[in-house]
Amino acid sequence: MAYGEARPGAAARIHSLRALPGRPRPRSWGSAPSQVGRRRIPDDDETPMATPGTDPHAPHAAGCCDTTDPRERGPFPLSTLRHSVSHLMASAVAKLFPGAKFGFGPAVEHGFYYDIEIPPGEDGEPRALEEKDLRRIEDEMRRIAKKAGAMQCLTLTRDEAKARMAAQGQSYKVEAVDLIPAGEAITFYRHGDWEDLCEGPHIDRFDREFAFQLTTVAGAYWRGDEKRPMLQRIYGTAFWTKEDLAAHLAWLEEVKARDHRKLGTDLDLFSTHDEAGAGFVFWHPNLGLVRREIESFWWSEHLARGYEPVYTPHVVREKLFEKSGHLQNYADLMYSPMDIDEILYRIKPMNCPGHILIYKSRGRSYRELPLRWAELGTVYRYERSGVLHGMLRVRGFTQDDSHIFCTPEQLADEIAGVIDLIAHTLRTFGFQFTAYLATRPEKAIGSPEVWERALEALKAAAAKSHLALVLDEGGGAFYGPKIDFKVRDALGREWQNSTVQCDFNLPERFDLSYTDKDGAHKRPIMVHRAVLGSFERFVGGLIEHFGGRFPLWIAPEQVALIPIREQHADYVRELSGILKADGFRVGCMDEAGHMNKKIQSAEKARTPYMLIAGDREVAERTVAVRRRGSREQTVVPFEKFHGLVKALRASRSLELPAPAG
RNA sequence: GCUGCUGUAGCUCAGUCGGUAGAGCACCUCCUUGGUAAGGAGGAGGCCACGGGUUCAAGUCCCGUCAGCAGCUCCA
């Protein structure tokens, strides 16, 4: 999945959960220590929401222990259970595949995994695990759980630990010992006849009641390094009760049912083509209508906030990207140059250099600033084939890009304005969000002082807007720090779209200036920002957020009209004409055929409202209104329905109310 | 890019041991005039992803390429 995965840093956080320093440990096997005082791994629903009035510099709340998750009803935290079940799985694998070598096996957001090197089969060929192996492993896990007894813990010195793992042929574990920071206890956990280097904590015994399932197997590099061997990663999940496990599996089904790639074909929204190449999305008319509505909302918001439209070319001379620093810092993601009359050109991976050229086309006065220039700019970036994913990760996409050129005094207000616009836009689509402050990455241009100034400006603006920030160390763009917004969708998954970036570097590189009151030439500051991020990713996410059930204002077809018999078709056509004249997207199902079939087909198309008309409706000039997803019908005068949809459209309502009878 | 898996009609899938292609839905035509989620009959639709190879014979076996899927790594 490209979304809903563990949050950035989650894995690292898990591995860094060390035992409490100074805690005495027995040098022989003892019972497992309790997890009191240990940090636990955040679970599904714990991402902190950015709430007004909280300290913007407060640490990530995800590290804390309080939870309201009703599934946390067991004797130990869910993450502890899952970590223990990963051990249980490892012991089963060790039994079924003698000689297996183990890497890391932590709990993660929705379950756990263990990275394992399975030894070659008897024929000497490498052995890849399959689905049916997972079932075998599960069976073995159940057998071991029954007779494993208590979980025991042992603390050893570094040398003892290494020798112990080396004796068992566990080379990855030997390496893992060295990763444990000095001064921290080195512990082993044991159940039955299997032991594992592990920081714990664990549940006390396996003959408790719990439910688990192994879900998938995939490759994963040892220690996440693509230059190191690839191990096989088995994913699984565990809960305290069968009901919770079943609920989780049902949730996974719901995720699958909302997959934008599936809905993309089912609802005729978009396609991709071998013939066109990977990572390029073709928007069908249905999704074109959705996009057009969003664009028009976007433009009206931007024009109202003082943005002005600009348009820039897709292909420009390579020299421009040399000057901007893209060639030095971004070349891996850029398409190869093309030679036109012996001059090298490039397809743009970003819109900023183009906007800078417009700025430089003449002298600028302080009176003009701030300049807010907006473009729905299509860019192309090379992405490695394995990362492409439907509309969510593509090679060509349209950013809702803007660049604000302003004075240092205006900077905080400008950023605050962007934050307000982002918050307003995201709420319009029913998203909640979290804001992350991303700092200087390793590959960057500009001096540390300049970066510090930019960072301070972002923090100040966030404080002004009462926006809580979560720190994302080293996550900035190469030219400046940024605030990224991650939205939470209807299924609780996180997506990154919006971003606001503070840039002192490109103005420097391009020698941008404006003439100030005193006649001096001064350097403007650039703010790069995207609200939706890219239309591809945003709309792909929107499809899943709504499960294809778009709110009325963006739905491709808003109203379906269904006559009961052919003689009602004229009436239905008349109503259709009225709604169409008012700008509604209407499906008039006046062709021959059965009503039930038409109802089904409109329901499948996720059309918000169906209007059904028979003798009664024609006689009274009413319509029988049926809402998407509901079998109820309300008969109201047509004019009343018309008024309702007008109001819903105007307010961009997320609701789909029944008309008041 | 890496590891594993997959690719048959618009969609979902069947196709046995290698013997020349099948279903349901969707689509088209005709019949059906039906009060709230599939009326009936018929028809059309396939370079079995693409390119090589093995074989008397390949959707089926082998190799390569492309694309997709689950992850890893990286991002709007």
Coordinates of all heavy atoms in Angstrom, one line a residue, chain A residues 65 135 141 168 197 261 340 435 545 598 652 657:
Chain A
C65 N 1.5 7.3 26.0 CA 0.9 6.0 26.2 C -0.7 6.0 26.3 O -1.2 4.9 26.3 CB 1.4 5.4 27.5 SG 3.1 5.1 27.4
R135 N -0.1 -20.6 6.0 CA -1.1 -21.4 6.7 C -0.4 -22.5 7.6 O -0.7 -22.7 8.7 CB -2.1 -22.1 5.7 CG -2.8 -21.1 4.8 CD -3.9 -20.3 5.5 NE -3.3 -19.1 6.1 CZ -3.1 -17.9 5.5 NH1 -3.4 -17.8 4.2 NH2 -2.6 -16.9 6.1
M141 N 2.3 -22.3 14.8 CA 2.3 -21.3 15.9 C 1.2 -21.7 16.9 O 1.5 -21.6 18.1 CB 1.9 -19.9 15.3 CG 3.0 -19.2 14.5 SD 2.4 -17.9 13.5 CE 2.1 -16.6 14.8
Q168 N 24.5 -20.0 17.3 CA 23.3 -20.5 16.7 C 23.2 -20.2 15.2 O 22.2 -20.4 14.5 CB 22.1 -19.9 17.4 CG 21.9 -20.3 18.8 CD 20.8 -19.6 19.6 OE1 19.9 -19.1 18.9 NE2 20.9 -19.6 20.9
L197 N 17.2 -12.6 20.5 CA 17.7 -11.3 21.0 C 16.6 -10.3 20.8 O 16.1 -10.1 19.7 CB 18.9 -10.9 20.1 CG 19.4 -9.5 20.4 CD1 20.2 -9.4 21.6 CD2 20.3 -9.0 19.2
R261 N -7.9 2.3 -7.8 CA -7.6 1.6 -9.0 C -8.8 0.7 -9.4 O -9.1 0.7 -10.6 CB -6.3 0.7 -8.9 CG -5.1 1.6 -8.6 CD -4.0 0.7 -8.1 NE -4.3 0.1 -6.9 CZ -3.5 -0.7 -6.1 NH1 -2.3 -0.9 -6.6 NH2 -3.9 -1.2 -5.0
I340 N 17.7 19.9 -29.2 CA 16.9 20.7 -30.2 C 17.9 21.7 -30.8 O 18.3 22.6 -30.1 CB 15.7 21.4 -29.6 CG1 14.8 20.3 -29.0 CG2 14.9 22.1 -30.7 CD1 13.6 20.9 -28.2
A435 N 0.1 18.7 10.7 CA 1.2 19.5 10.1 C 2.6 19.1 10.6 O 2.8 18.9 11.8 CB 1.0 21.0 10.3
H545 N -11.2 8.2 -0.2 CA -11.8 8.9 0.9 C -13.4 8.7 0.9 O -14.0 8.4 1.8 CB -11.4 10.3 0.9 CG -12.0 11.2 2.0 ND1 -11.9 10.9 3.3 CD2 -12.7 12.4 1.9 CE1 -12.5 11.8 4.0 NE2 -13.0 12.7 3.2
K598 N -32.5 0.1 -14.1 CA -32.0 1.5 -14.1 C -31.6 1.9 -12.7 O -30.6 2.6 -12.5 CB -33.1 2.4 -14.7 CG -33.3 2.2 -16.2 CD -34.4 3.1 -16.7 CE -34.7 2.7 -18.1 NZ -35.9 3.5 -18.6
R652 N -21.3 23.4 -1.2 CA -20.4 22.3 -1.3 C -20.6 21.3 -0.2 O -19.6 20.8 0.4 CB -18.9 22.8 -1.4 CG -18.7 23.7 -2.5 CD -17.2 24.0 -2.7 NE -17.1 25.0 -3.8 CZ -17.1 26.3 -3.6 NH1 -17.1 26.7 -2.4 NH2 -17.0 27.1 -4.6
P657 N -28.7 14.9 2.2 CA -30.0 14.7 3.0 C -31.2 14.3 2.1 O -31.2 14.6 0.9 CB -30.2 16.1 3.5 CG -29.5 17.0 2.6 CD -28.4 16.3 2.0

